[in-house]
Amino acid sequence: MRNKLTNELAVCGMNAVLAVCEHHPQSVNRLFLREDRLQSFTAICKQLAERKRPYKICEEEELERVCKSVHHQGVVAMIEEPVIEPLSLEDLDLWADKGRTGVLLHSVGNDHNLGAIARAAAFFDVSYIVLNERDTEARLTTSAYRIAEGGLEHLTVRRITSTSAFLKDASKRLITIGTDIRARMRISDLSSIAKNTQSKKGIVLVLGNEETGLPEEVKDQCSHMLRIPGTGNIDSLNVSQAAALFLHAIYEL
C-alpha cells in the first residue's frame, strides 16, 4: 500500500520488516506494531525516537488499515517510496568484473512473482534484478516486499527501457541465459556453457511471461536458451519456481 501524500510504502510481515530495519533503518519513517512484537524491534524504535519519528503499539484492526492487508504478522513499517535507478554501463561492468549473477524480468506476472523470485535470488546469492519499466505489473509493492521475506534488502534493483537493447550490451560482458520450454538445451547444460565461456564469468538469467514466454527479439539477444525438462503433464512451471531451479543450478556452478 502506497501513501501518495507522504511518498511512503507500507512493508509488512516479520521477516520483511526486520530486514528493512537491519539493512536500511534510515528508510523507515514510521512503525506500527502489536505489543508482542515490541521486543523484536527495540533497536529500530530507539532509532526512530532519536530521529523524532513515531512508532505506535496497535491492535490488529489498525495494522490492517495501515497496510491494507491481513497478512501483516503484527508489524508494519512505512518506508520512503523505493526509487529504482536506471541501469548504467558502469553497473554492467561491475557485475561482469565481479562475476555476479543477476535476473532480468520481461513482462513477468505480478508483484507476488517478483517477491518470490527476489526471495529465491537472495537465497542463492544473486546480486541484482533488472525490471523493464514498460512492464505494467511487477513492481516494488507491499506484496512484493512481504513475499520476498527480506530478500529485496540483499538485491540491487535497476530499471531499463528495452530488454533487447539491454541484452545486446550485456551479452558483450556476461553470459545471458534465456528460458524457453521449447529450447533444445537443458538446464543441465549450464555447467558446460560456463566452462566454455571462461572470458565471461557473470550470468544474467532472463525470465519471461508465464503464458507467452520471451518474445523472439529477446531470445535472439540471449547467449543461450535453456529449458527445464519435465513429464509434460503440465505445460510449464510457475515463473518463480523456474527461477529457483535455474538460480540453484547457477549457484552450484
Side-chain angles (χ1 to χ4, degrees):
M1 191 280 295
R2 283 179 164 81
N3 187 324
K4 295 181 179 179
L5 293 177
T6 59
N7 293 320
E8 292 177 321
L9 176 72
V11 174
C12 61
M14 276 291 291
N15 289 336
V17 178
L18 282 170
V20 169
C21 293
E22 178 182 354
H23 296 282
H24 300 102
Q26 292 300 315
S27 71
V28 180
N29 291 334
R30 296 179 288 157
L31 187 70
F32 302 84
L33 67 168
R34 284 197 318 248
E35 188 169 6
D36 63 305
R37 297 302 193 194
L38 183 58
Q39 185 174 358
S40 298
F41 294 92
T42 302
I44 190 64
C45 288
K46 181 179 179 181
Q47 290 182 42
L48 287 169
E50 291 172 350
R51 292 164 50 204
K52 295 182 171 55
R53 300 281 186 171
Y55 65 89
K56 183 180 180 182
I57 305 300
C58 304
E59 300 296 331
E60 295 282 332
E61 294 77 9
E62 185 170 0
L63 290 168
E64 290 180 22
R65 288 198 300 271
V66 170
C67 67
K68 299 294 190 292
S69 173
V70 298
H71 304 294
H72 49 72
Q73 296 180 337
V75 60
V76 181
M78 297 301 296
I79 68 170
E80 296 174 1
E81 179 78 23
V83 176
I84 303 177
E85 299 293 336
L87 181 91
S88 67
L89 291 179
E90 288 75 17
D91 290 324
L92 280 179
D93 289 337
L94 174 64
W95 298 336
D97 290 342
K98 300 293 186 180
R100 301 283 171 77
T101 298
V103 177
L104 167 61
L105 305 184
H106 182 87
S107 298
V108 168
N110 53 38
D111 49 3
H112 283 228
N113 282 329
L114 172 57
I117 291 168
R119 181 176 182 177
F123 188 84
F124 291 118
D125 198 30
V126 170
S127 297
Y128 59 93
I129 288 182
V130 179
L131 303 177
N132 191 318
E133 65 183 31
R134 295 181 181 178
D135 291 349
T136 58
E137 295 184 48
R139 285 292 176 265
L140 297 183
T141 63
T142 297
S143 294
Y145 271 89
R146 177 175 57 82
I147 299 296
E149 292 277 352
L152 283 166
E153 305 310 311
H154 298 274
L155 300 165
T156 297
V157 183
R158 291 289 185 263
R159 59 182 172 86
I160 56 174
T161 57
S162 169
T163 300
S164 296
F166 164 80
L167 289 172
K168 185 176 181 180
D169 287 330
S171 293
K172 299 172 184 176
R173 301 166 171 83
L174 302 156
I175 304 171
T176 52
I177 303 294
T179 55
D180 189 342
I181 60 174
R182 294 171 293 277
R184 179 181 59 84
M185 301 181 73
R186 299 183 172 201
I187 189 173
S188 57
D189 293 315
L190 265 171
S191 57
S192 61
I193 290 172
K195 289 178 182 178
N196 293 327
T197 321
Q198 295 180 355
S199 61
K200 301 176 183 178
K201 297 180 181 179
I203 296 176
V204 180
L205 177 66
V206 187
L207 299 168
N209 182 277
E210 291 183 11
E211 295 183 2
T212 59
L214 294 172
E216 291 301 320
E217 64 269 18
V218 171
K219 294 179 187 179
D220 291 342
Q221 294 296 339
C222 292
S223 306
H224 306 276
M225 297 298 301
L226 302 181
R227 64 182 172 91
I228 299 171
T231 62
N233 292 335
I234 300 295
D235 287 341
S236 64
L237 294 172
N238 171 274
V239 65
S240 62
Q241 295 173 320
L245 289 175
F246 270 102
L247 294 176
H248 173 260
I250 293 170
Y251 180 75
E252 291 283 89
L253 291 177

